Every structure is written in structure tokens, then in C-alpha cells.
Amino acid sequence: MGKKDKKKGKGAEKTALKTERKTLNRLKKELAAKGEDDIEKLISDYQEKHKTDVIGEELCPQPSPRSGFSLCPHPDKDELVLFGGEYYNGRVTTMFNDIHFYNIKKGQWSILHTPVKPPPRCAHQAVVLSQKGGQLWVFGGEFIGPSRSVFYHYKDFWVFHFAEKRWEEIKAPGAPPSRSGHRMVARRKQIVIFGGFRETVQDYKYYNDLYVFDLDTYTWNKIEAVGKIPSFRSGCLFAPLVDGRMLLYGGYTKEKVKKDVDKGISHTDMYYLQVDEKSVPHKWKWNQVKPSGIPPSIRCGISMAVAPNNLAYCFGGVYDDDDVDEEDLISLFHNDLYVLEMEKGRWLPVTLHGKSSRTTRKKRRKVRDDDMEEDYEESEKVAESLEKAKLDDSNKVVIKTDDVFTVKIGPSTSAIPESSACALSSTSEAFSPKGRMGAGMAVKSGILYLYGGIFEDEERQVTLSDFYALDTHKLDEWRTIVPFSTRNLDWFESESEDSSSESDDSSGDDGMESE
């Protein structure tokens, strides 16, 4: 009996392997038909097509709409540095590897042409350092095929030398495996990388590992930290403190519920990573702490910019309600601003001068009429609760932090039904940028800058190129540098959607004829 069961198990295993092999072969044929069966060749062809012998910087229009790029403050000049990103128009994905500079005083963009530069990518990480005339370090990221059917994850490491205006690839042994969605910070003479994920045609993998690059010896080390280690995740908030510690918050993980069914998890936990530099070798330890204050509602895709005095500003993000059918999936895009006091692990919502306004609630798919009616009634209840709470001055608390800015905490959340916490957010009557995820943010000379990102309008994924600035000392209102506009945004229905529509139309015609 045992032998028969064993043979039966092997037979089932062989059948599963054969099915998987057939699926992979079918996918390869589909990719070959699209010309995407060799993604490394796609990247090489892109590099060759955009190869240039021209070296120099020239003024240019603002960068095209994009997401998944990096936006960093120049370490020495009043400039912002933008690198890479992607743009999707519904049918074709365009990848970028250009480097732009924004001159803050002149309000001008320029682009730098160099013969050597990293391949195009998005979802990478970048940090700036003042050493050796200023440096921009870039690790990992991904290249997405034109039809979004294939992905290539990088594990290369590049440094841009500001003084010499040139890129250099750093090839050091022991580097982290290829990934995107990871997080990277600079602390003292080290660059620290945590987490991320890697995706293939048939599977994906998330990380919670820790790597450190020594800026003196140019060597990588994988760190075996102790303590309460964060779970596997990508897209978390990870920032350095003045005292050498690092703070980690949130992130996103996708896991398999059953075959061909995945479930996304948005994390809300917080950790400190500290280094005992007196020990040899140094000991790294994770400590989980409970966030205090008023943290953002559950979401992913938050943008963060680190400011002086252990402060970090966070904007936007998206929450997907996946408790409904996939066709009725609802997404809530936020446009609220929070400040995180990293030393205390305390969240504070930033209220600009003015009254409350609604966050942007968008639906990715159709929503039933009865659901819309329920949402409307619920929103009305929340609006009444907020209006009532606003009349009670005792519910308002003004907190002054480090004599740098004033943060006003809105009415107590007890006045708002918990079930409606995501329907409205306490923002200002003053203008606030559209809700979005994956925007670029940076702080330079006390000014918070916000550029681009993604939001969804009905069934369109809109990639942005609008540009804003907020004085973190005054916290009065967002200043528009480049307004939001749909003028240059192209969106094409996918071929599958077109064919589906045509099929629906033809079936509808047949139905009319039969009647």
C-alpha cells in the first residue's frame, strides 16, 4: 500500500511539473510574439538606442509624467535631482534613465547627457552624500517590459559624482540579490539596505534581509541582526535619525491565499534599528515599538521626505478595499500630509490653515448603485460629525515642535465613526495636491517639494507631472509650480479590453436581432 501511495504521489508531482512546464512554454511563446522573450536584450537595445557621445548639461522642459523615480536634494546646491522612473499609457510602458536637475532659485529644469549611465529603471532607491564633491548612490530597481508582461530586477550599484558629472558602476562582492521596492538610507560612513521584492513570470519573493555597504572600504556585508525582526515587505518607510539609529514603519507584502489567488497586506508596525558600535564586530538590533500620536490610516505607496531635527514628512498613499469582488475593487487615494517625529515614534497630521476637505475616493471598477448610495449616506454622517467637532474649540490642540513649525491636530477621532475613518481626512481649506501614490518628495532649505506619482480616474491609471512646494516653517498652503493637467496625458484601452468591448458589442447586436 505504501509503495502504491508513493507512486501515486510521484505521478501527481510529475503531472504538476508537466502542467507548469506547458504554462511556461505558452508564456514564452506569447512573449516571443510580443518581442519580449529576451528582456535583457530589450534593455541592451534601449541602451544602444539612447547611447550618446554628447557630454554636457542643457536646459530642458520639465521631466515627462512618471512614477517610481527618485527625487533627492542636491547635497551642496539649491537644486533637486530627479532620476529614472516609468510611464504607462494603458498599452505601452516607457522606462527612463535620464537625470534631471531643478534649479530652485531660477525655477528651471536641465538634463545631463553622459555616455555612461545606469540602464532604465523604476522602483529603485537613491541617497545623496556630501563627500568627495557630492555623490548620488543608486541601487537596484526594475525594468518593465513594454506590455508589462515581464520584469527584470537589478542588483547593480551606481554612484553619480556631482563634481565630475559622471556615473560610475561599483562592482563589489557580496551585494544584495536583485530586487525593487527596497529601502536604502545613508548613516555616517555606511549605506544600509532593507527588504524589497523580486518578481518573475510565474512567482514572486519578498525580503526582510539587511545589507550594509562600507563607504571607506567599498565592501558589502550581510547583517544578521537580532531582536524582533520585521517581517518580509517592500515599500516601507525607512529613515535615519541623527543619533545613528534608523526607523522603519509599515510596508506592503503580497502572499498566496490559494492557487492563483494573492492577498495584499499593508503593514502598520514600527521598529528602531540600532547599532552597538562599541562592540567588534558591530551588533545590530531591531526593537519593535508602538507608534504614538495619530498615525495615517492603513495604506501603501506613501511618499516620504526626511527633514532636519529627526522629522519626516509623509504624503498620500492608497488603500485598496479587496473585500469586494475584483471587478468592484475600490481604491481610496489620499492627499493628506503627516509629520513623523522619529525620535519619539509619534505621528501628527498636518493641518494647513482652513477647513476640512474630502480625500479623493476613486473606483477602479464599476460600483453598484446601492453601494454608492450607502457611501453617500455614510459620508454625510462623517461630514456632520466633523462640522460639529469643529465648533468645539476644546477639541483642538496646537503643538509646537522644536520652534520650527506648528502642527494643529484636528478634532478627536472619537467624534468620527470608526467605519468612516478613511472617508474624510482633516485637511485644509487651502489648496492641496490631488491624492496619489508613489510621488517623489524631497526637503531642501525648509521647503517640501512634491512631484508626479499616480492616481486612478475611473479605469484610467493617470501618471502625473505636477509639481508643488510647501514651506515647512509656515505650513500655510501648497504653492503650485506646475499645475495638474490632463492635456498631455494619453490613455489607450488595452487590446484585451478593446477586444472584450467589441465582443460585448457584437453579442449585444446579436441579442437585438434575435428579439
Side-chain angles (χ1 to χ4, degrees):
M1 293 294 290
K3 289 184 178 180
K4 288 183 179 179
D5 291 342
K6 191 173 182 180
K7 288 181 179 179
K8 184 177 180 180
K10 284 187 175 181
E13 185 178 337
K14 286 182 179 179
T15 302
L17 288 173
K18 187 181 292 185
T19 302
E20 183 178 355
R21 197 177 298 117
K22 285 183 178 180
T23 302
L24 287 175
N25 289 334
R26 176 176 55 80
L27 288 172
K28 287 180 180 179
K29 289 180 180 179
E30 291 177 357
L31 292 174
K34 297 175 182 178
E36 299 181 26
D37 53 325
D38 188 345
I39 193 164
E40 291 188 14
K41 185 177 184 301
L42 279 177
I43 297 172
S44 177
D45 290 345
Y46 180 98
Q47 290 282 77
E48 188 64 30
K49 180 180 178 181
H50 294 83
K51 188 176 181 180
T52 178
D53 294 327
V54 177
I55 301 176
E57 187 175 354
E58 63 178 350
L59 294 178
C60 66
Q62 70 171 100
S64 57
R66 63 187 66 192
S67 64
F69 57 94
S70 55
L71 184 68
C72 301
H74 193 291
D76 302 312
K77 298 180 180 179
D78 283 333
E79 292 182 344
L80 302 178
V81 186
L82 186 152
F83 171 73
E86 63 156 317
Y87 172 70
Y88 179 57
N89 66 5
R91 286 187 180 172
V92 178
T93 298
T94 303
M95 304 297 300
F96 302 102
N97 65 341
D98 44 5
I99 184 168
H100 289 82
F101 300 90
Y102 178 71
N103 187 305
I104 294 174
K105 291 183 178 179
K106 296 181 179 179
Q108 294 177 333
W109 284 99
S110 61
I111 185 171
L112 178 66
H113 302 285
T114 58
V116 177
K117 54 187 173 182
R121 68 193 62 207
C122 64
H124 56 278
Q125 281 287 280
V127 296
V128 290
L129 300 172
S130 295
Q131 66 177 23
K132 300 179 180 179
Q135 297 175 330
L136 172 74
W137 290 81
V138 174
F139 179 85
E142 64 184 87
F143 180 93
I144 304 174
S147 67
R148 304 183 81 81
S149 301
V150 289
F151 307 88
Y152 182 88
H153 293 262
Y154 296 103
K155 61 176 180 179
D156 51 353
F157 198 31
W158 293 79
V159 57
F160 177 77
H161 301 277
F162 286 103
E164 303 168 21
K165 295 186 177 181
R166 68 177 180 90
W167 285 99
E168 177 188 4
E169 184 175 5
I170 305 299
K171 296 182 179 181
S178 56
R179 65 189 64 198
S180 63
H182 51 289
R183 290 298 177 257
M184 184 168 79
V185 301
R187 66 171 299 274
R188 298 173 182 173
K189 290 289 185 177
Q190 296 172 324
I191 291 177
V192 184
I193 290 178
F194 171 82
F197 78 102
R198 182 175 61 190
E199 186 173 5
T200 62
V201 174
Q202 71 271 25
D203 203 4
Y204 54 82
K205 180 179 181 180
Y206 282 81
Y207 297 99
N208 68 339
D209 48 5
L210 196 63
Y211 283 83
V212 173
F213 181 77
D214 191 303
L215 290 164
D216 286 329
T217 62
Y218 273 38
T219 56
W220 284 103
N221 285 294
K222 184 177 182 181
I223 302 299
E224 300 297 338
V226 297
K228 178 67 173 178
I229 300 174
S231 59
F232 302 93
R233 66 190 67 195
S234 69
C236 58
L237 305 181
F238 192 40
L241 280 73
V242 175
D243 61 10
R245 290 181 298 161
M246 290 148 280
L247 181 143
L248 184 148
Y249 176 83
Y252 178 84
T253 305
K254 188 168 63 173
E255 61 181 27
K256 289 189 179 297
V257 179
K258 54 184 178 180
K259 187 177 181 180
D260 299 328
V261 178
D262 300 321
K263 182 177 179 62
I265 300 173
S266 295
H267 302 280
T268 58
D269 45 357
M270 180 180 287
Y271 302 82
Y272 284 108
L273 176 60
Q274 60 186 50
V275 186
D276 182 0
E277 296 178 330
K278 294 181 180 179
S279 63
V280 180
H282 295 168
K283 293 182 180 179
W284 296 65
K285 183 178 181 180
W286 288 103
N287 290 309
Q288 185 173 9
V289 297
K290 184 178 180 180
S292 62
I294 305 176
S297 57
I298 297 175
R299 64 186 73 178
C300 62
I302 303 176
S303 300
M304 182 182 73
V306 177
N309 301 321
N310 285 329
L311 299 176
Y313 291 92
C314 300
F315 179 87
V318 62
Y319 171 72
D320 289 335
D321 184 359
D322 55 4
D323 289 333
V324 296
D325 294 337
E326 185 176 349
E327 292 184 355
D328 297 330
L329 185 64
I330 297 174
S331 294
L332 172 63
F333 283 82
H334 296 273
N335 69 339
D336 44 4
L337 179 66
Y338 283 80
V339 64
L340 174 59
E341 294 180 329
M342 293 192 289
E343 192 170 7
K344 300 177 182 178
R346 181 169 67 170
W347 284 102
L348 299 172
V350 177
T351 302
L352 307 182
H353 310 311
K355 63 182 182 181
S356 63
S357 63
R358 299 176 187 270
T359 56
T360 308
R361 183 161 192 147
K362 293 294 180 183
K363 53 181 182 178
R364 287 187 180 172
R365 302 289 185 262
K366 61 182 180 180
V367 179
R368 296 187 301 273
D369 291 341
D370 54 345
D371 289 339
M372 293 179 66
E373 185 175 349
E374 290 175 6
D375 288 344
Y376 175 78
E377 292 176 355
E378 191 70 16
S379 297
E380 288 299 308
K381 292 179 182 178
V382 177
E384 291 176 5
S385 299
L386 281 175
E387 190 64 29
K388 181 179 179 181
K390 281 171 55 185
L391 297 176
D392 185 1
D393 290 337
S394 64
N395 284 337
K396 288 187 177 180
V397 179
V398 176
I399 299 177
K400 193 170 184 180
T401 305
D402 296 331
D403 294 325
V404 176
F405 62 90
T406 301
V407 176
K408 186 187 296 180
I409 300 178
S412 170
T413 54
S414 61
I416 304 174
E418 290 186 8
S419 62
S420 306
C422 294
L424 297 177
S425 69
S426 181
T427 57
S428 67
E429 187 178 57
F431 167 77
S432 183
K434 181 180 290 291
R436 67 194 67 200
M437 63 175 288
M441 286 217 310
V443 174
K444 183 67 177 179
S445 302
I447 306 297
L448 174 64
Y449 294 91
L450 175 72
Y451 190 94
I454 293 175
F455 84 99
E456 292 180 359
D457 181 12
E458 297 295 337
E459 295 187 0
R460 297 191 308 161
Q461 177 180 293
V462 181
T463 307
L464 305 168
S465 60
D466 47 352
F467 193 18
Y468 307 96
L470 175 67
D471 190 323
T472 60
H473 299 282
K474 298 178 181 178
L475 289 177
D476 48 3
E477 62 180 357
W478 287 95
R479 176 172 60 89
T480 300
I481 301 174
V482 177
F484 166 76
S485 173
T486 58
R487 184 179 305 170
N488 298 321
L489 297 178
D490 297 323
W491 181 261
F492 303 96
E493 298 296 335
S494 65
E495 294 178 1
S496 60
E497 289 174 337
D498 285 347
S499 60
S500 175
S501 298
E502 291 174 3
S503 175
D504 292 342
D505 291 341
S506 61
S507 62
D509 292 341
D510 292 341
M512 290 177 65
E513 290 175 0
S514 64
E515 288 179 357

